[in-house]
Short mmCIF file of all heavy atoms in Angstrom, two decimals:
data_model
loop_
_atom_site.label_atom_id
_atom_site.label_comp_id
_atom_site.label_asym_id
_atom_site.label_seq_id
_atom_site.Cartn_x
_atom_site.Cartn_y
_atom_site.Cartn_z
N VAL A 19 12.37 24.90 2.03
CA VAL A 19 13.01 26.01 1.14
C VAL A 19 13.82 25.47 0.04
O VAL A 19 13.70 25.92 -1.13
CB VAL A 19 13.86 26.94 2.08
CG1 VAL A 19 14.76 27.88 1.26
CG2 VAL A 19 12.85 27.72 3.00
N ASP A 20 14.68 24.48 0.27
CA ASP A 20 15.44 23.98 -0.92
C ASP A 20 14.82 22.73 -1.71
O ASP A 20 15.44 22.24 -2.52
CB ASP A 20 16.74 23.55 -0.30
CG ASP A 20 16.75 22.21 0.47
OD1 ASP A 20 15.63 21.83 0.77
OD2 ASP A 20 17.81 21.77 0.81
N GLY A 21 13.51 22.50 -1.37
CA GLY A 21 12.84 21.38 -2.08
C GLY A 21 13.40 20.10 -1.67
O GLY A 21 12.90 19.02 -2.33
N GLY A 22 14.06 19.93 -0.65
CA GLY A 22 14.69 18.60 -0.27
C GLY A 22 13.51 17.56 0.25
O GLY A 22 12.40 18.10 0.69
N THR A 23 13.79 16.35 0.14
CA THR A 23 12.95 15.35 0.59
C THR A 23 13.50 14.24 1.33
O THR A 23 14.75 13.98 1.21
CB THR A 23 12.08 14.74 -0.61
OG1 THR A 23 12.98 14.27 -1.57
CG2 THR A 23 11.21 15.69 -1.33
N ILE A 24 12.74 13.46 2.09
CA ILE A 24 13.13 12.30 2.84
C ILE A 24 12.41 11.21 2.22
O ILE A 24 11.15 11.25 2.02
CB ILE A 24 12.76 12.31 4.27
CG1 ILE A 24 13.37 13.57 5.06
CG2 ILE A 24 13.19 10.98 5.00
CD1 ILE A 24 12.76 13.72 6.43
N GLU A 25 13.04 9.94 1.86
CA GLU A 25 12.36 8.89 1.45
C GLU A 25 12.50 7.86 2.52
O GLU A 25 13.38 7.58 3.10
CB GLU A 25 13.02 8.19 0.20
CG GLU A 25 12.40 7.34 -0.63
CD GLU A 25 13.11 6.93 -1.80
OE1 GLU A 25 13.93 6.04 -1.66
OE2 GLU A 25 12.92 7.57 -2.88
N THR A 26 11.19 7.40 2.96
CA THR A 26 11.29 6.37 3.99
C THR A 26 10.87 5.02 3.52
O THR A 26 10.26 4.75 2.40
CB THR A 26 10.08 6.70 5.09
OG1 THR A 26 8.85 6.47 4.44
CG2 THR A 26 10.14 8.08 5.46
N LEU A 27 11.43 4.09 4.23
CA LEU A 27 11.40 2.68 3.78
C LEU A 27 10.32 1.92 4.75
O LEU A 27 10.36 2.25 5.91
CB LEU A 27 12.72 1.89 3.89
CG LEU A 27 13.79 2.10 2.79
CD1 LEU A 27 14.97 1.14 2.99
CD2 LEU A 27 13.30 2.04 1.44
N ASP A 28 9.64 0.97 4.27
CA ASP A 28 8.86 0.07 5.07
C ASP A 28 9.82 -1.09 5.54
O ASP A 28 10.35 -1.77 4.72
CB ASP A 28 7.75 -0.46 4.29
CG ASP A 28 6.84 -1.48 5.15
OD1 ASP A 28 7.44 -2.07 6.13
OD2 ASP A 28 5.76 -1.60 4.87
N PRO A 29 10.16 -1.12 6.84
CA PRO A 29 11.19 -2.04 7.23
C PRO A 29 10.73 -3.52 7.20
O PRO A 29 11.68 -4.44 7.22
CB PRO A 29 11.55 -1.65 8.69
CG PRO A 29 10.32 -0.75 9.16
CD PRO A 29 9.69 -0.19 7.90
N ALA A 30 9.50 -3.73 6.92
CA ALA A 30 9.10 -5.14 6.77
C ALA A 30 9.24 -5.62 5.37
O ALA A 30 9.36 -6.84 5.08
CB ALA A 30 7.59 -5.33 7.24
N THR A 31 9.19 -4.63 4.35
CA THR A 31 9.41 -5.05 2.91
C THR A 31 10.60 -4.53 2.43
O THR A 31 10.92 -4.99 1.18
CB THR A 31 8.08 -4.48 2.25
OG1 THR A 31 8.22 -3.07 2.25
CG2 THR A 31 6.75 -4.92 2.76
N GLU A 32 11.23 -3.62 3.03
CA GLU A 32 12.42 -2.89 2.46
C GLU A 32 12.10 -2.12 1.18
O GLU A 32 12.98 -1.76 0.52
CB GLU A 32 13.55 -3.98 2.12
CG GLU A 32 13.93 -4.80 3.31
CD GLU A 32 15.03 -5.88 3.03
OE1 GLU A 32 15.92 -5.57 2.15
OE2 GLU A 32 14.91 -6.89 3.73
N GLU A 33 10.85 -1.82 1.02
CA GLU A 33 10.52 -1.01 -0.19
C GLU A 33 10.23 0.46 0.34
O GLU A 33 9.78 0.65 1.42
CB GLU A 33 9.24 -1.58 -0.78
CG GLU A 33 9.55 -2.86 -1.69
CD GLU A 33 8.34 -3.60 -2.10
OE1 GLU A 33 7.21 -2.97 -1.92
OE2 GLU A 33 8.49 -4.65 -2.51
N THR A 34 10.37 1.43 -0.69
CA THR A 34 9.99 2.76 -0.34
C THR A 34 8.59 2.91 -0.05
O THR A 34 7.69 2.40 -0.73
CB THR A 34 10.33 3.71 -1.68
OG1 THR A 34 11.72 3.50 -1.99
CG2 THR A 34 9.95 5.12 -1.32
N TYR A 35 8.25 3.48 1.09
CA TYR A 35 6.79 3.72 1.44
C TYR A 35 6.34 5.07 1.18
O TYR A 35 5.14 5.29 0.66
CB TYR A 35 6.75 3.33 2.89
CG TYR A 35 5.32 3.47 3.38
CD1 TYR A 35 4.15 2.81 2.85
CD2 TYR A 35 5.04 4.34 4.44
CE1 TYR A 35 2.91 3.00 3.26
CE2 TYR A 35 3.71 4.51 4.96
CZ TYR A 35 2.70 3.90 4.39
OH TYR A 35 1.49 4.14 4.83
N ALA A 36 7.17 6.04 1.37
CA ALA A 36 6.72 7.48 1.21
C ALA A 36 7.94 8.38 1.03
O ALA A 36 9.01 8.14 1.29
CB ALA A 36 5.99 7.99 2.53
N THR A 37 7.56 9.51 0.42
CA THR A 37 8.44 10.63 0.18
C THR A 37 7.88 11.99 0.77
O THR A 37 6.84 12.30 0.38
CB THR A 37 8.93 10.82 -1.28
OG1 THR A 37 9.37 9.57 -1.81
CG2 THR A 37 10.02 11.85 -1.38
N VAL A 38 8.52 12.48 1.73
CA VAL A 38 8.07 13.67 2.21
C VAL A 38 9.06 14.83 2.35
O VAL A 38 10.30 14.49 2.33
CB VAL A 38 7.50 13.57 3.83
CG1 VAL A 38 6.39 12.56 3.69
CG2 VAL A 38 8.50 13.04 4.80
N ALA A 39 8.70 16.09 2.60
CA ALA A 39 9.65 17.16 2.63
C ALA A 39 10.58 17.06 3.76
O ALA A 39 10.23 16.60 4.88
CB ALA A 39 8.79 18.46 2.77
N CYS A 40 11.82 17.39 3.47
CA CYS A 40 12.89 17.37 4.55
C CYS A 40 13.34 18.90 4.78
O CYS A 40 13.87 19.51 3.93
CB CYS A 40 14.13 16.58 3.87
SG CYS A 40 15.49 16.55 5.06
N ALA A 41 13.01 19.31 5.97
CA ALA A 41 13.38 20.75 6.33
C ALA A 41 14.85 21.06 6.39
O ALA A 41 15.73 20.05 6.47
CB ALA A 41 12.75 21.07 7.71
N THR A 42 15.23 22.22 6.28
CA THR A 42 16.60 22.77 6.35
C THR A 42 16.60 23.75 7.52
O THR A 42 15.62 24.08 8.19
CB THR A 42 17.07 23.51 5.12
OG1 THR A 42 16.09 24.73 4.99
CG2 THR A 42 16.93 22.79 3.82
N ALA A 43 17.85 24.28 7.80
CA ALA A 43 18.02 25.28 8.89
C ALA A 43 17.06 26.51 8.50
O ALA A 43 16.51 27.09 9.44
CB ALA A 43 19.47 25.70 8.89
N LYS A 44 16.97 26.88 7.21
CA LYS A 44 16.02 27.96 6.87
C LYS A 44 14.63 27.65 7.30
O LYS A 44 13.81 28.56 7.72
CB LYS A 44 16.14 28.31 5.53
CG LYS A 44 17.38 28.99 4.98
CD LYS A 44 17.32 29.35 3.61
CE LYS A 44 18.72 30.00 3.10
NZ LYS A 44 19.14 29.73 1.75
N ASP A 45 14.19 26.40 7.21
CA ASP A 45 12.79 26.16 7.52
C ASP A 45 12.62 26.22 8.99
O ASP A 45 11.65 26.56 9.64
CB ASP A 45 12.45 24.67 6.98
CG ASP A 45 12.46 24.78 5.56
OD1 ASP A 45 11.79 25.54 4.79
OD2 ASP A 45 13.24 23.92 4.97
N VAL A 46 13.69 25.82 9.74
CA VAL A 46 13.70 25.95 11.16
C VAL A 46 13.34 27.34 11.56
O VAL A 46 12.53 27.77 12.40
CB VAL A 46 14.96 25.45 11.91
CG1 VAL A 46 14.95 25.65 13.33
CG2 VAL A 46 15.20 24.01 11.62
N SER A 47 14.06 28.25 11.02
CA SER A 47 13.89 29.72 11.19
C SER A 47 12.45 30.19 11.00
O SER A 47 11.86 30.94 11.73
CB SER A 47 14.89 30.61 10.48
OG SER A 47 16.23 30.13 10.68
N ARG A 48 11.98 29.72 9.80
CA ARG A 48 10.45 30.06 9.62
C ARG A 48 9.65 29.41 10.70
O ARG A 48 8.69 30.12 11.15
CB ARG A 48 10.14 29.43 8.23
CG ARG A 48 10.82 30.05 6.98
CD ARG A 48 10.74 28.95 5.82
NE ARG A 48 9.30 28.89 5.38
CZ ARG A 48 8.92 27.89 4.64
NH1 ARG A 48 9.63 26.68 4.34
NH2 ARG A 48 7.58 27.77 4.24
N ALA A 49 9.78 28.19 11.05
CA ALA A 49 8.89 27.71 11.96
C ALA A 49 9.00 28.29 13.34
O ALA A 49 8.02 28.55 13.99
CB ALA A 49 9.29 26.16 12.13
N VAL A 50 10.24 28.54 13.84
CA VAL A 50 10.39 29.21 15.06
C VAL A 50 9.88 30.64 15.12
O VAL A 50 9.25 30.92 16.13
CB VAL A 50 11.99 29.24 15.51
CG1 VAL A 50 12.17 30.03 16.79
CG2 VAL A 50 12.39 27.64 15.65
N ALA A 51 10.05 31.39 13.96
CA ALA A 51 9.48 32.69 13.90
C ALA A 51 7.90 32.68 13.97
O ALA A 51 7.28 33.52 14.66
CB ALA A 51 9.93 33.35 12.65
N ALA A 52 7.38 31.68 13.36
CA ALA A 52 5.88 31.51 13.47
C ALA A 52 5.43 31.13 14.93
O ALA A 52 4.52 31.79 15.38
CB ALA A 52 5.47 30.45 12.52
N ALA A 53 6.11 30.22 15.53
CA ALA A 53 5.90 29.89 16.79
C ALA A 53 6.05 31.05 17.84
O ALA A 53 5.29 31.30 18.81
CB ALA A 53 6.57 28.68 17.33
N ASP A 54 7.16 31.81 17.62
CA ASP A 54 7.31 33.06 18.40
C ASP A 54 6.34 34.03 18.35
O ASP A 54 5.82 34.64 19.34
CB ASP A 54 8.92 33.49 18.05
CG ASP A 54 9.31 34.36 19.07
OD1 ASP A 54 9.02 34.28 20.30
OD2 ASP A 54 10.13 35.35 18.72
N ALA A 55 5.84 34.40 17.05
CA ALA A 55 4.90 35.39 16.92
C ALA A 55 3.57 34.88 17.50
O ALA A 55 2.78 35.71 18.07
CB ALA A 55 4.71 35.65 15.45
N ALA A 56 3.24 33.64 17.47
CA ALA A 56 1.97 33.00 18.01
C ALA A 56 1.90 33.17 19.56
O ALA A 56 0.82 33.00 20.03
CB ALA A 56 1.71 31.68 17.45
N VAL A 57 2.99 33.15 20.17
CA VAL A 57 3.02 33.15 21.63
C VAL A 57 3.29 34.50 22.30
O VAL A 57 3.43 34.71 23.46
CB VAL A 57 3.92 32.04 22.16
CG1 VAL A 57 5.45 32.60 22.23
CG2 VAL A 57 3.60 31.59 23.55
N GLU A 58 3.41 35.55 21.46
CA GLU A 58 3.69 36.80 21.91
C GLU A 58 2.57 37.36 22.89
O GLU A 58 1.27 36.94 22.60
CB GLU A 58 3.65 37.93 20.80
CG GLU A 58 5.02 38.24 20.29
CD GLU A 58 4.93 39.17 19.01
OE1 GLU A 58 3.91 39.80 18.88
OE2 GLU A 58 5.98 39.33 18.35
N ARG A 59 2.80 38.14 23.77
CA ARG A 59 1.75 38.72 24.53
C ARG A 59 0.81 39.40 23.67
O ARG A 59 1.16 40.26 22.81
CB ARG A 59 2.26 39.76 25.66
CG ARG A 59 3.00 39.04 26.78
CD ARG A 59 3.43 40.05 27.89
NE ARG A 59 4.48 39.23 28.72
CZ ARG A 59 4.03 38.41 29.71
NH1 ARG A 59 2.75 38.12 29.95
NH2 ARG A 59 4.94 37.69 30.43
N GLY A 60 -0.42 39.30 23.92
CA GLY A 60 -1.47 39.94 23.15
C GLY A 60 -1.88 39.05 21.93
O GLY A 60 -2.90 39.42 21.31
N SER A 61 -1.21 37.98 21.70
CA SER A 61 -1.54 37.06 20.49
C SER A 61 -2.87 36.30 20.89
O SER A 61 -3.27 36.33 21.97
CB SER A 61 -0.50 36.09 20.13
OG SER A 61 -0.36 35.32 21.27
N GLU A 62 -3.45 35.81 19.86
CA GLU A 62 -4.74 35.14 19.95
C GLU A 62 -4.61 34.05 20.98
O GLU A 62 -5.31 33.73 21.84
CB GLU A 62 -5.24 34.63 18.57
CG GLU A 62 -6.54 33.94 18.76
CD GLU A 62 -6.96 33.25 17.36
OE1 GLU A 62 -6.21 33.39 16.33
OE2 GLU A 62 -7.98 32.64 17.39
N TRP A 63 -3.48 33.18 20.84
CA TRP A 63 -3.24 32.12 21.64
C TRP A 63 -3.02 32.43 23.09
O TRP A 63 -3.48 31.82 24.04
CB TRP A 63 -1.96 31.25 21.04
CG TRP A 63 -1.76 30.10 21.70
CD1 TRP A 63 -0.52 29.77 22.34
CD2 TRP A 63 -2.46 28.80 21.81
NE1 TRP A 63 -0.54 28.41 22.65
CE2 TRP A 63 -1.63 27.88 22.53
CE3 TRP A 63 -3.73 28.44 21.36
CZ2 TRP A 63 -2.13 26.51 22.84
CZ3 TRP A 63 -4.18 27.16 21.66
CH2 TRP A 63 -3.41 26.24 22.32
N ARG A 64 -2.16 33.47 23.22
CA ARG A 64 -1.69 33.92 24.62
C ARG A 64 -2.96 34.47 25.35
O ARG A 64 -3.08 34.35 26.59
CB ARG A 64 -0.70 35.00 24.46
CG ARG A 64 0.11 35.31 25.71
CD ARG A 64 0.98 34.16 26.16
NE ARG A 64 1.50 34.44 27.44
CZ ARG A 64 2.67 34.87 27.60
NH1 ARG A 64 3.73 34.82 26.46
NH2 ARG A 64 3.31 35.11 28.77
N THR A 65 -3.93 35.17 24.69
CA THR A 65 -5.07 35.83 25.43
C THR A 65 -6.35 34.92 25.40
O THR A 65 -7.33 35.31 26.05
CB THR A 65 -5.41 37.14 24.70
OG1 THR A 65 -5.64 36.86 23.26
CG2 THR A 65 -4.29 38.13 24.80
N MET A 66 -6.32 33.80 24.84
CA MET A 66 -7.39 32.87 24.82
C MET A 66 -7.81 32.41 26.22
O MET A 66 -6.91 32.15 27.02
CB MET A 66 -7.03 31.65 23.91
CG MET A 66 -8.14 30.80 23.72
SD MET A 66 -7.50 29.35 22.62
CE MET A 66 -7.52 30.12 21.13
N GLY A 67 -9.07 32.30 26.53
CA GLY A 67 -9.51 31.76 27.72
C GLY A 67 -9.10 30.34 27.95
O GLY A 67 -9.00 29.62 26.89
N PRO A 68 -8.80 29.96 29.17
CA PRO A 68 -8.35 28.66 29.37
C PRO A 68 -9.29 27.46 28.97
O PRO A 68 -8.93 26.42 28.43
CB PRO A 68 -8.09 28.56 30.90
CG PRO A 68 -8.73 29.71 31.44
CD PRO A 68 -8.82 30.69 30.45
N SER A 69 -10.63 27.76 29.04
CA SER A 69 -11.56 26.77 28.65
C SER A 69 -11.62 26.53 27.09
O SER A 69 -11.67 25.51 26.57
CB SER A 69 -13.01 27.09 29.06
OG SER A 69 -12.90 27.24 30.49
N ASP A 70 -11.35 27.77 26.40
CA ASP A 70 -11.24 27.64 24.92
C ASP A 70 -10.01 26.96 24.55
O ASP A 70 -10.11 26.22 23.64
CB ASP A 70 -11.21 29.05 24.40
CG ASP A 70 -12.64 29.85 24.59
OD1 ASP A 70 -13.66 29.14 24.83
OD2 ASP A 70 -12.57 31.09 24.55
N ARG A 71 -8.92 27.13 25.32
CA ARG A 71 -7.73 26.42 24.93
C ARG A 71 -7.93 24.84 25.16
O ARG A 71 -7.60 24.05 24.32
CB ARG A 71 -6.51 26.97 25.74
CG ARG A 71 -5.25 26.52 25.02
CD ARG A 71 -4.16 27.31 25.55
NE ARG A 71 -3.74 27.20 26.92
CZ ARG A 71 -3.87 28.13 27.94
NH1 ARG A 71 -4.07 29.38 27.55
NH2 ARG A 71 -3.54 27.87 29.14
N GLY A 72 -8.54 24.62 26.35
CA GLY A 72 -8.95 23.10 26.47
C GLY A 72 -9.78 22.62 25.49
O GLY A 72 -9.63 21.39 24.96
N GLY A 73 -10.79 23.44 24.88
CA GLY A 73 -11.66 23.01 23.92
C GLY A 73 -10.84 22.66 22.62
O GLY A 73 -11.14 21.67 21.89
N LEU A 74 -9.80 23.41 22.40
CA LEU A 74 -9.05 23.16 21.04
C LEU A 74 -8.30 21.83 21.31
O LEU A 74 -8.15 21.01 20.31
CB LEU A 74 -8.01 24.39 20.77
CG LEU A 74 -8.74 25.58 20.34
CD1 LEU A 74 -7.73 26.69 20.07
CD2 LEU A 74 -9.49 25.30 19.06
N LEU A 75 -7.73 21.61 22.47
CA LEU A 75 -7.04 20.39 22.68
C LEU A 75 -8.05 19.17 22.71
O LEU A 75 -7.64 18.03 22.06
CB LEU A 75 -6.34 20.31 24.04
CG LEU A 75 -5.17 21.34 24.26
CD1 LEU A 75 -4.33 21.01 25.41
CD2 LEU A 75 -4.16 21.27 22.93
#
Side-chain angles (χ1 to χ4, degrees):
V19 165
D20 72 352
T23 54
I24 303 170
E25 199 174 84
T26 71
L27 290 189
D28 181 332
T31 63
E32 304 179 30
E33 285 168 10
T34 300
Y35 176 58
T37 304
V38 297
C40 179
T42 61
K44 285 185 183 145
D45 299 301
V46 174
S47 301
R48 293 160 69 201
V50 171
D54 199 22
V57 79
E58 266 180 15
R59 285 186 194 281
S61 65
E62 183 188 357
W63 184 242
R64 195 70 186 256
T65 54
M66 183 178 285
S69 305
D70 292 338
R71 196 162 67 240
L74 287 179
L75 291 193

